[in-house]
């Protein structure tokens, strides 16, 4: 009898306790929860005594509201703030969060980044741990501040640029699924896979960037996923193969012989500005030296070796270049790359003139180059050269400007990477053996690392290269005529892809801008009613137009063809010119 009574009593008590803990904290029955209980009693902190002392309530109990149906315990209860709290308070949630965000003492750049993440989280609060924690059953104003603060704290010391870069691919992902009427958070493997299959034109690195973004979101903001897309074999395979095939398609075409000759004429042309002549020579240095743009910028010494002044074409310019980090497949452990550039040229012998031009311009021209001095610096606003390296996209623009109407022959415009491809593609077309070709391109098999250091190893490939250049010069071999069959498939960048004539980089930028405008929406630092804006076509930086005529910007820059004057204010105002906006 007594055992039966205590059995029933235990059942009732435990069900009552469960009910009180599971329902709101505003219950009349103010139980301490286990954690609080532990800290409240020093006795309970002794683990040996804890089990015996865990209390069951004694004495008479109030009437017990026992639920008819057991609560489902497997999934956490849905927090209904999305409907109740915000809407009942008559608030527009995003506006409330925006206000909180704008009051924070952080830079505008960072606010823009946090705004993007807040927009991603508000796609579905339930799918983000950070939102589930920050938004409890509190008042809306607390909730807004709570989420903004939580996101800001979670972002921690991560650079604003990282937050922008990681948000971008996810915004495009959200836009894609939004357009099809689906929520895409929590992230599911099936949706990621479908997105990569049907997501339209993506840059070679885009799928990989999206996977990195998802992983970032999972670890930093607690994005919830189902069936682990990050480990899915078919997703990983698709990412890798997209990268491999797309990169082939968008690879820059090699220079044509005409383009090389034009650059040589520019170096030798007394009528051109010395800036153009120095830059043209730099691109030739990359082409004849088979160098990437970043390698060319890090050349650490020049040595002109011209044994016979009467036959200038027989010499070499010997350089060393510091290795850049990203060189995969290059000689391991080699810190400095020896680069030999033949003085032989398809048109005019340009190297001695170029070195003289550099000397007159105050740039390094012989011997060792001072630490961190770029070979092609940016031009100073007031004339002369800075000591800041010209960045790669500006260099590409300059290169295309130098080549003018010859800049685009095939479906893809030339870029700085065209330079490195040129001699190597000529060598492939003329049928040069793999061994010498790999040495010319600084690619050696693992184990052959030391070979590149030896002048003997390079002398044979260099002789072949000089012969090739002279054959092109004398018209014995025209690399631009050989575009047939088996050879063509071997050639970097020659594939007649379906990319069309639009510039790949531009297209990707505007794709992300559209996603930001659609998913994140309106965001600006505040502006006057009659202000007009212009956007730089390359940097995408937004400036204010100064006057009615629209020839000047507030920051003092002139509106050139590189700016696009905007008809209306961009919805998401970022990035901003710091001269035009005081943010
Ligand atoms: Zn400006």
């Amino acid at each position: 009898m007594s055992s039966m009574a205590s059995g029933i009593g235990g059942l009732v008590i435990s069900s009552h306790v469960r009910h009180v803990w599971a329902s709101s904290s505003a219950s009349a029955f103010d139980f301490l929860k286990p954690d609080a209980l532990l800290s409240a009693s020093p006795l309970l902190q002794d683990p040996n005594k804890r089990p015996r002392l865990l209390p069951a309530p004694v004495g008479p109990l109030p009437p017990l509201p026992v639920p008819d149906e057991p609560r489902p315990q497997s999934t956490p209860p849905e927090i209904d703030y999305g409907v109740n709290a915000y809407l009942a308070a008559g608030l527009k949630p995003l506006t409330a969060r925006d206000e909180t965000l704008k009051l924070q003492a952080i830079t505008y750049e960072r606010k823009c980044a946090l705004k993007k993440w807040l927009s991603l989280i508000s796609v579905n609060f339930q799918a983000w741990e950070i939102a589930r924690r920050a938004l409890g059953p509190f008042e809306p104003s607390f909730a807004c501040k709570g989420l903004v603060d939580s996101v800001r704290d979670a972002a921690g010391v991560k650079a604003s640029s990282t937050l922008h870069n990681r948000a971008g691919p996810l915004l495009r992902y959200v836009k894609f699924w939004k357009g099809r009427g689906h929520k895409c958070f929590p992230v599911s493997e099936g949706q990621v896979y479908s997105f990569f299959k049907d997501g339209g034109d993506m840059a070679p690195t885009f799928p990989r960037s999206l996977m990195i973004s998802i992983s970032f979101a999972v670890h930093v903001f607690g994005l919830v996923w189902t069936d682990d897309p990050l480990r899915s074999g078919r997703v990983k395979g698709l990412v890798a193969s997209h990268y491999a095939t797309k990169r082939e398609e968008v690879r820059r075409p090699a220079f044509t012989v005409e383009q090389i000759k034009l650059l040589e004429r520019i170096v030798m042309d007394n009528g051109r500005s010395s800036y153009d002549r120095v830059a043209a020579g730099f691109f030739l240095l990359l082409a004849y030296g088979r160098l990437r743009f970043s390698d060319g910028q890090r050349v650490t010494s020049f040595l002109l070796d011209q044994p016979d002044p009467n036959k200038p074409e027989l010499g070499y310019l010997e350089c060393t270049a510091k290795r850049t980090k990203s060189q995969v497949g290059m000689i391991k452990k080699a810190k400095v790359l020896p680069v030999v550039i033949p003085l032989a040229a398809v048109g005019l012998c340009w190297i001695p003139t170029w070195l003289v031009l550099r000397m007159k311009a105050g740039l390094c021209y012989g011997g060792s180059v001072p630490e961190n001095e770029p070979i092609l610096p940016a031009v100073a606003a007031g004339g002369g050269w800075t000591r800041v390296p010209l960045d790669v996209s500006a260099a590409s623009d300059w290169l295309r400007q130098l080549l003018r109407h010859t800049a685009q022959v095939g479906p893809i415009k030339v870029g700085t990477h065209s330079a490195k491809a040129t001699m190597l593609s000529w060598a492939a077309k003329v049928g040069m053996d793999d061994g010498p070709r790999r040495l010319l391109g600084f690619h050696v098999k693992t184990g052959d690392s030391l070979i590149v250091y030896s002048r003997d190893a390079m002398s044979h490939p260099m002789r072949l290269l000089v012969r090739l250049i002279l054959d092109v010069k004398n018209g014995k071999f025209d690399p631009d005529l050989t575009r047939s069959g088996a050879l063509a498939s071997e050639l970097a960048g020659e594939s007649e892809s379906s990319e069309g004539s639009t510039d790949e980089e531009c297209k990707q930028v505007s794709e992300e801008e559209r996603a930001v405008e659609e998913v994140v929406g309106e965001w600006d630092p505040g502006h006057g009613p009659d202000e007009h804006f212009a956007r730089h076509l390359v940097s995408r930086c937004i400036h204010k137009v100064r006057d009615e005529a629209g020839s000047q910007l507030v920051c003092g820059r002139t509106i050139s063809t590189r700016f696009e004057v905007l008809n209306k204010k961009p919805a998401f105002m970022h990035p901003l010119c710091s001269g035009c906006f005081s943010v």
Side-chain angles (χ1 to χ4, degrees):
M1 187 65 193
S2 66
S3 72
M4 191 182 167
S6 78
I8 291 168
L11 191 70
V12 168
I13 287 163
S14 69
S15 111
H16 170 74
V17 167
R18 199 165 57 234
H19 167 76
V20 171
W21 281 352
S23 57
S24 84
S25 56
S27 163
F29 221 80
D30 205 5
F31 266 114
L32 283 176
K33 296 187 181 173
D35 290 348
L37 210 58
L38 264 180
S39 57
S41 160
L43 256 187
L44 289 174
Q45 282 166 5
D46 182 352
N48 292 326
K49 296 176 182 160
R50 205 179 291 154
R52 283 183 284 120
L53 287 169
L54 268 181
V58 288
L61 288 171
L64 297 180
V66 178
D68 293 331
E69 296 168 15
R71 277 175 174 269
Q73 294 295 319
S74 52
T75 54
E78 294 263 310
I79 304 168
D80 209 11
Y81 43 77
V83 178
N84 283 347
Y86 286 156
L87 297 186
L91 287 179
K92 285 165 76 183
L94 277 178
T95 309
R97 262 196 298 282
D98 289 350
E99 290 308 312
T100 311
L101 183 54
K102 283 182 178 183
L103 290 173
Q104 305 251 334
I106 48 177
T107 64
Y108 181 72
E109 178 74 12
R110 194 157 189 88
K111 285 179 192 172
C112 288
L114 296 183
K115 170 70 181 163
K116 286 182 182 174
W117 281 101
L118 283 163
S119 304
L120 286 169
I121 291 166
S122 60
V123 168
N124 181 8
F125 294 117
Q126 303 289 347
W128 299 78
E129 283 300 325
I130 194 165
R132 299 184 68 99
R133 282 182 200 142
L135 304 180
F138 305 120
E139 288 186 28
S141 59
F142 287 126
C144 298
K145 189 162 166 40
L147 183 56
V148 173
D149 276 356
S150 298
V151 168
R152 182 187 166 178
D153 291 340
V157 294
K158 294 204 161 44
S160 300
S161 59
T162 306
L163 295 171
H164 278 289
N165 289 340
R166 297 284 178 266
L170 280 171
L171 289 165
R172 279 180 65 182
Y173 181 68
V174 169
K175 175 171 177 275
F176 175 85
W177 285 112
K178 203 177 157 192
R180 282 155 185 76
H182 293 284
K183 270 191 182 173
C184 58
F185 298 142
V187 176
S188 81
E189 192 267 353
Q191 275 185 317
V192 172
Y193 183 69
S194 309
F195 175 63
F196 286 154
K197 284 297 230 190
D198 311 329
D201 224 350
M202 294 176 192
T205 52
F206 179 76
R208 184 168 292 176
S209 305
L210 178 64
M211 300 312 286
I212 293 170
S213 289
I214 290 174
S215 168
F216 181 86
V218 168
H219 290 109
V220 179
F221 300 111
L223 174 61
V224 177
W225 43 258
T226 58
D227 53 31
D228 205 348
L230 295 173
R231 285 170 193 239
S232 155
R234 59 177 184 170
V235 167
K236 279 200 285 193
L238 207 53
V239 170
S241 63
H242 182 89
Y243 181 69
T245 55
K246 282 288 189 170
R247 200 181 51 160
E248 284 301 314
E249 285 176 23
V250 300
R251 205 177 266 177
R252 298 288 181 189
F255 289 140
T256 64
V257 177
E258 264 323 301
Q259 287 168 338
I260 294 274
K261 283 183 175 170
L262 177 54
L263 290 172
E264 289 172 356
R265 283 201 300 276
I266 292 171
V267 175
M268 305 302 281
D269 185 350
N270 286 320
R272 302 280 301 228
S273 79
S274 67
Y275 301 113
D276 282 354
R277 298 174 71 187
V278 166
F282 179 78
F283 296 123
L284 289 170
L285 178 85
L286 301 183
Y288 283 111
R290 298 93 55 210
L291 292 170
R292 291 162 211 252
F293 178 80
S294 52
D295 301 331
Q297 283 287 42
R298 293 167 186 228
V299 164
T300 49
S301 71
F302 291 110
L303 176 65
L304 187 59
D305 181 13
Q306 223 170 353
D308 184 352
N310 298 319
K311 290 182 179 170
E313 298 194 348
L314 293 181
Y316 294 97
L317 177 66
E318 294 186 14
C319 306
T320 50
K322 227 184 204 167
R323 280 192 58 197
T324 51
K325 276 189 219 157
S326 59
Q327 287 163 6
V328 182
M330 283 232 187
I331 326 99
K332 298 264 176 355
K333 290 177 190 165
K335 294 216 170 71
V336 175
L337 207 60
V339 185
V340 183
I341 299 152
L343 293 190
V346 294
L348 306 161
C349 182
W350 58 277
I351 290 179
T353 308
W354 183 63
L355 293 175
V356 171
L357 282 168
R358 293 185 64 87
M359 182 186 72
K360 287 182 180 165
L363 300 168
C364 50
Y365 63 95
S368 57
V369 177
E371 183 90 14
N372 293 330
E373 186 154 325
I375 302 304
L376 185 64
V379 177
W385 298 90
T386 62
R387 292 174 58 92
V388 179
L390 189 70
D391 79 79
V392 65
S393 62
S396 280
D397 287 345
W398 197 350
L399 170 65
R400 290 191 277 264
Q401 197 60 40
L402 288 170
L403 294 173
R404 291 288 174 92
H405 57 277
T406 71
Q408 190 170 358
V409 179
I412 306 169
K413 285 181 193 166
V414 295
T416 51
H417 204 79
S418 302
K420 170 153 179 137
T422 303
M423 293 297 141
L424 301 177
S425 93
W426 291 3
K429 283 176 177 175
V430 83
M432 195 186 287
D433 289 339
D434 278 4
R437 256 197 303 143
R438 262 205 301 276
L439 284 171
L440 288 176
F442 309 105
H443 281 266
V444 291
K445 286 179 188 161
T446 332
D448 288 353
S449 310
L450 292 175
I451 216 167
V452 176
Y453 284 121
S454 109
R455 288 179 64 111
D456 291 347
M458 282 309 285
S459 68
H460 173 60
M462 285 314 295
R463 276 201 301 277
L464 293 177
L465 180 62
V466 171
R467 192 190 300 161
L468 170 59
I469 292 168
L470 294 178
D471 280 353
V472 173
K473 177 180 186 155
N474 300 329
K476 285 186 192 161
F477 170 63
D478 184 349
D480 300 328
L481 284 182
T482 326
R483 284 173 181 267
S484 61
L487 269 177
S489 65
E490 201 178 347
L491 303 177
E494 298 280 342
S495 69
E496 308 291 326
S497 74
S498 57
E499 280 299 317
S501 58
T502 49
D503 193 353
E504 171 76 7
E505 291 134 37
C506 290
K507 203 162 65 183
Q508 294 293 328
V509 166
S510 59
E511 194 71 38
E512 186 173 316
E513 267 167 23
R514 274 201 297 279
V516 171
E517 298 217 335
E518 189 177 322
V519 179
V520 184
E522 291 281 333
W523 179 256
D524 63 58
H527 66 101
D530 286 329
E531 286 178 341
H532 292 278
F533 305 99
R535 190 157 212 166
H536 193 273
L537 291 174
V538 180
S539 73
R540 310 304 297 164
C541 198
I542 301 170
H543 299 258
K544 275 186 199 171
V545 178
R546 185 195 287 274
D547 48 14
E548 288 284 308
S551 62
Q552 288 276 318
L553 298 168
V554 170
C555 58
R557 292 181 173 88
T558 306
I559 302 180
S560 65
T561 51
R562 298 168 64 137
F563 287 95
E564 172 194 15
V565 178
L566 304 169
N567 299 325
K568 62 185 175 83
K569 185 184 84 68
F572 193 86
M573 296 280 278
H574 177 266
L576 296 183
C577 165
S578 57
C580 291
F581 298 84
S582 49
V583 290

